[in-house]
Amino acid sequence: MTARTLEPKPRVGDSEKMTVNLGVVDLGQVDLLVQEGFYSNRSDLVRTAVRNLLTQHGDTLRQTVARRTLTLGLQHLRRADLERAVAAGERLRVQVVGLARIDDDVTPELARAAIESVSVLGAFHASAAVRRALADRTV
């Protein structure tokens, strides 16, 4: 049985909410920039700041993604994908920076038979039963 990493899929616009704790002075300065029209709201400033920093570190991120053979963006696992892997005697290593999604019609048994490991930096969407089945394989 061989293990393989899945091919990258296109990036998607899925987003997750994040809490940022700022001091009152920082928050006041953010509000001032919003009032002055530099940003449409607080979230706009935070998104812009994060994207600028990610761009600044872009070379390092690209090198790390390539070195660690990670999928960047969306990795969508369908039942047919997993059945194909099992039939071929392959075990999948799901390694994603972004969103890993396993369809709701995937059974816990199929997920365990097809998936060797799951490592997600971002968000992992799967049924509760599949998540429990893969808990010992999630890094």
Side-chain angles (χ1 to χ4, degrees):
M1 212 185 303
T2 60
R4 69 179 174 107
T5 302
L6 295 172
E7 294 299 313
K9 302 293 183 193
R11 295 171 57 172
V12 296
D14 289 314
S15 65
E16 292 285 326
K17 219 174 229 190
M18 181 174 146
T19 301
V20 177
N21 295 318
L22 296 174
V24 293
V25 172
D26 292 337
L27 188 58
Q29 291 175 345
V30 167
D31 287 343
L32 186 59
L33 289 172
V34 170
Q35 282 181 352
E36 291 297 311
F38 288 95
Y39 301 95
S40 59
N41 54 45
R42 291 173 173 175
S43 294
D44 183 34
L45 179 139
V46 172
R47 266 191 307 276
T48 301
V50 168
R51 287 177 182 152
N52 287 341
L53 287 169
L54 292 174
T55 297
Q56 193 174 356
H57 297 288
D59 287 341
T60 300
L61 289 168
R62 281 186 289 283
Q63 291 168 10
T64 302
V65 165
R67 178 175 43 82
R68 293 176 57 184
T69 62
L70 302 168
T71 298
L72 183 63
L74 168 67
Q75 183 65 67
H76 187 171
L77 298 167
R78 295 172 182 84
R79 191 166 110 197
D81 299 327
L82 300 182
E83 289 171 342
R84 223 178 348 268
V86 170
E90 296 177 339
R91 306 277 316 263
L92 306 177
R93 280 186 235 122
V94 179
Q95 302 178 120
V96 179
V97 174
L99 172 63
R101 182 184 310 153
I102 299 177
D103 279 347
D104 289 336
D105 64 347
V106 171
T107 65
E109 297 77 21
L110 177 57
R112 284 194 63 80
I115 298 173
E116 179 178 298
S117 63
V118 177
S119 175
V120 179
L121 298 169
F124 179 41
H125 294 177
S127 70
V130 167
R131 290 176 72 88
R132 279 192 303 276
L134 296 175
D136 64 328
R137 298 175 187 192
T138 303
V139 181

